[in-house]
Amino acid sequence: MKNHVLTAIAVVAVLAVAANAGTISGKVSGVAGESVVYVDTITGKAFPAPAQHPVVDQKGLLFQPHITVVQAGTTVDFLNSDSVAHNVFWTSVGGNKKLGHNLGTWPKGEKRSFKFDTPGAVPLLCNVHPEMAGYIVVSPTPYFARTDKSGDYRIENVPDGSYSVTAWHEGAKNQSKAVSVSGDTKADFTLSK
Ligand SMILES: [Cu+2]
């Protein structure tokens, strides 16, 4: 008898979890290579910034990784692993030119950090090497994912609800769409330049 009650409670608990936590998955097409998909700002919801600092290295005259996705409020550590001096600057955040910034130029082995509070894409450049380019994509929520090279993505643990979801790709226009998440939910995007 007692076991039956416990089993019933366990089943209800499992169903409750399944009903509240969903995923958003789909494909970003129209562009080649990696894209980023994230859930936009949710009115009335604040998310504590992660304490961990992702690292963007400058190595082999490249920003590595080429694309880094962080939640708003995250501090990124910029390293230089090359034997030449590198610079890091950006001219805008999310297209807002008032948020351009220059972190300066520094030699091998040193690092500088910056806290990204404003959502949007940050195009990273180095004024020593004009061919260098990288991106920080700042997501307003912890619900974000990078696609694989074929454009497939999956955002886990998204609470059921209605959201605006945005897809970003280097050099393409952002696309946002309304997505109602209920369990496993699909959202596809087609981007263009
Ligand atoms: Cu450089």
Side-chain angles (χ1 to χ4, degrees), residues 58 85-87 126 128-129 132:
Q58 287 172 288
H86 284 298
N87 159 270
C126 166
V128 184
H129 306 99
M132 290 179 67

Side-chain angles (χ1 to χ4, degrees), residues 102-190:
N102 192 330
L103 275 183
T105 302
W106 61 96
K108 182 176 188 169
E110 290 185 16
K111 88 172 180 198
R112 293 193 187 177
S113 302
F114 190 86
K115 186 166 172 276
F116 291 93
D117 284 323
T118 305
V122 185
L124 302 174
L125 295 166
C126 166
N127 65 18
V128 184
H129 306 99
E131 71 278 15
M132 290 179 67
Y135 293 88
I136 307 278
V137 179
V138 183
S139 168
T141 66
Y143 311 121
F144 57 80
R146 312 156 67 99
T147 71
D148 62 18
K149 294 235 185 309
S150 63
D152 291 315
Y153 77 93
R154 185 177 181 84
I155 306 174
E156 305 275 1
N157 295 318
V158 183
D160 285 358
S162 295
Y163 306 107
S164 170
V165 180
T166 293
W168 172 91
H169 187 93
E170 175 176 5
K173 290 191 197 89
N174 281 3
Q175 189 186 7
S176 299
K177 59 161 52 175
V179 177
S180 284
V181 176
S182 174
D184 290 333
T185 303
K186 295 275 177 200
D188 295 329
F189 297 85
T190 304

Side-chain angles (χ1 to χ4, degrees), residues 16-156:
V17 167
N20 291 325
T23 63
I24 308 173
S25 65
K27 195 178 192 71
V28 179
S29 49
V31 287
E34 277 179 42
S35 301
V36 174
V37 182
Y38 57 82
V39 173
D40 290 327
T41 302
I42 304 168
T43 308
K45 276 234 171 189
F47 299 98
Q52 234 186 347
H53 293 194
V55 170
V56 175
D57 200 358
Q58 287 172 288
K59 196 174 182 182
L61 301 182
L62 296 169
F63 285 104
Q64 298 203 40
H66 182 62
I67 300 168
T68 302
V69 196
V70 301
Q71 188 191 316
T74 301
T75 299
V76 176
D77 292 341
F78 293 92
L79 305 188
N80 179 357
S81 294
D82 279 338
S83 50
V84 295
H86 284 298
N87 159 270
V88 178
F89 78 102
W90 51 92
T91 57
S92 62
V93 175
N96 182 348
K97 292 201 159 82
K98 286 183 183 147
L99 297 176
H101 189 72
N102 192 330
L103 275 183
T105 302
W106 61 96
K108 182 176 188 169
E110 290 185 16
K111 88 172 180 198
R112 293 193 187 177
S113 302
F114 190 86
K115 186 166 172 276
F116 291 93
D117 284 323
T118 305
V122 185
L124 302 174
L125 295 166
C126 166
N127 65 18
V128 184
H129 306 99
E131 71 278 15
M132 290 179 67
Y135 293 88
I136 307 278
V137 179
V138 183
S139 168
T141 66
Y143 311 121
F144 57 80
R146 312 156 67 99
T147 71
D148 62 18
K149 294 235 185 309
S150 63
D152 291 315
Y153 77 93
R154 185 177 181 84
I155 306 174
E156 305 275 1

